[in-house]
Amino acid sequence: MTSCVKQYFAVICANLMTFNYGITVGWPSSTLPLLMSDETPLASGALTLFQVSCIGSILCIGGALGQMLYAWIADKYGRKPGMMMTFVPAVIHWLLIEFGTEFYALLVARFLAGITAGGVFQVIPMIVSEISSIEIRGRLGSFIMLFTNAGTVFAYIVCNYTSYFAVPWISIGICTMFLVGYSFMHETPKYLMMIKKEKEALDAMRFFNNGPFTDSKSAEILKSEGFDVEKDEIRVKCTSLKLDRAAKRGFIIGNVLVNIVIFSGLFTFANYYDMIFREAGSSLSPALSSIIVGSIQLAGTISASTVVERVGRKPLILVSAYGSAFFVTIMGLHSMLMDVGVDVSSFSWVPLICLSLLVFVAANGAQSLPMVIVGEIFAQEVRGPLISLCLIGNWTMSFILLLVFPYMVEYLKIYGAIWVFAVIECALATVILVMLPETKGVSIERIVQILGKGK
């Protein structure tokens, strides 16, 4: 474990920005009702429903563009510069919220928040896959959703119990902690090898393994991760052209995984927590309800990060995905029976219990682990562009669903809409059952070889 301390420190520092993103995700839940009320702090007056919709959806547009921008930065200038540059749009976003007094200031702010999120979700999986030891790679990869969910719960608490103008300064403080902490990190060894800086790569290897390895030992480790070593010269193993099949299969798996996150239900139900709690007859306030649900989600993510290296990625993903579909189906059945006039007062607890179990089960795999696996299934030479394309698809689907779901509810009712989610989630989980190899304890080079063989 001692040799992994700097790996943990680097990934935790980087994930301070995902914690900041989690605050961005939780901010609207408590703040938008204020901005739509007569007590709004905006000089332009209360926001309309259309303006609120724009503020919600533009985050996804920024995310897709940020994905492309930071994929280019990370490959052109390095993982470390790419990671540190997420600080700029994040801080500008919070300054606009602090000092902006118009709707358009908030719109630009949320767009920049999306740019930041795109950068964070692009670069962190690359960093994790390129600095982490095999035995802790899954745990470190799961931190991205762990910190996101922790930031969301933090936002629910802070936004409800502090002033509107306090939250931006707290978030800027967290971003500054990231900037200072990550400035002490090295560039990833694999990126340095890719740009043929062998000496710097060996220095980085020693740094992240927290020990004075000899060149032969460092070379042995690099070779096990996909590099050739010949006569004291380390060079990148050019495999991109030979791994077309692996890249295509990895791309299919990556796209399925990121959509499993969306169709698990968490993405959509975040907007319907109040309604579900009301159906359950809960007397809890919306603020307390959000904190409870967010805490359950955080507990599920903590559980995933704890057991992922024991149980494996694939079993957790499958149990989580099929489990999410099951609980969504039961919630839909309860809603349908209410809609047709059946007395379900004796079962008013069903929506609340199913929602709680859905949030925990989905966070325990379907939400937490896709980003772990996406960082593991691509060869070094194609990792950046293909991760970017997978996540651009994720942002695009998120944007579409934000626009379409209200119409699905109108024409299919709430139960019909969420049953569509359950069917799609089962279909996606079945693809993973067939195509995804277990990646726990397997080097990235070996994972790519397995995908290339199609077994």
Side-chain angles (χ1 to χ4, degrees), residues 25 40 45 48 79 90 93 123 134 148 206 272 276 298 323 334 361 370 390:
V25 171
T40 178
T48 66
R79 307 337 187 194
H93 150 248
V123 181
I134 290 175
T148 298
R206 296 187 187 98
Y272 290 88
I276 295 170
L298 178 59
H334 182 276
V361 168
C390 288

Side-chain angles (χ1 to χ4, degrees), residues 267-427:
F267 169 77
T268 304
F269 295 158
N271 299 300
Y272 290 88
Y273 286 158
D274 290 351
M275 181 193 72
I276 295 170
F277 272 85
R278 283 197 302 270
E279 281 194 10
S282 174
S283 60
L284 299 176
S285 67
L288 187 55
S289 300
S290 298
I291 292 171
I292 291 172
V293 172
S295 299
I296 294 171
Q297 186 170 335
L298 178 59
T301 315
I302 293 172
S303 173
S305 66
T306 303
V307 304
V308 63
E309 295 298 357
R310 301 175 186 175
V311 178
R313 282 63 148 162
K314 188 171 180 176
L316 279 177
I317 286 280
L318 293 176
V319 170
S320 179
Y322 286 124
S324 298
F326 173 77
F327 290 121
V328 165
T329 301
I330 298 301
M331 290 170 64
L333 179 61
H334 182 276
S335 178
M336 184 198 71
L337 292 175
M338 285 186 61
D339 188 61
V340 298
V342 176
D343 182 12
V344 292
S345 57
S346 300
F347 301 96
S348 61
W349 49 268
V350 168
L352 179 58
I353 296 298
C354 282
L355 176 63
S356 300
L357 291 172
L358 166 68
V359 168
F360 182 84
V361 168
N364 201 31
Q367 187 198 35
S368 306
L369 299 184
M371 292 309 302
V372 177
I373 301 171
V374 167
E376 297 176 325
I377 57 178
F378 297 121
Q380 174 74 21
E381 296 81 2
V382 298
R383 182 174 299 135
L386 291 186
I387 288 178
S388 178
L389 288 173
C390 288
L391 294 179
I392 288 171
N394 177 264
W395 287 112
T396 303
M397 181 60 70
S398 300
F399 176 73
I400 291 171
L401 286 177
L402 277 173
L403 294 178
V404 170
F405 192 77
Y407 296 98
M408 293 175 64
V409 172
E410 181 177 352
Y411 292 106
L412 301 177
K413 302 294 182 67
I414 183 67
Y415 52 85
I418 63 177
W419 280 345
V420 170
F421 275 59
V423 170
I424 294 176
E425 183 77 352
C426 285

Side-chain angles (χ1 to χ4, degrees), residues 14 24 69 81 85 112 133 168 189 206 224 242 278-279 296 338 405 423 435:
T24 302
L69 173 63
M85 287 179 67
L112 290 174
S133 302
R206 296 187 187 98
S224 72
K242 297 180 181 178
R278 283 197 302 270
E279 281 194 10
I296 294 171
M338 285 186 61
F405 192 77
V423 170
M435 293 188 66

Side-chain angles (χ1 to χ4, degrees), residues 35-49:
L35 298 179
M36 296 176 70
S37 71
D38 294 335
E39 289 80 28
T40 178
L42 299 178
S44 57
L47 296 180
T48 66
L49 188 60

Side-chain angles (χ1 to χ4, degrees), residues 189 200-211 213 218 221-222:
E200 291 87 341
L202 292 175
D203 290 340
M205 176 67 74
R206 296 187 187 98
F207 175 83
F208 284 115
N209 284 279
N210 200 30
F213 291 146
S218 299
I221 296 172
L222 285 169

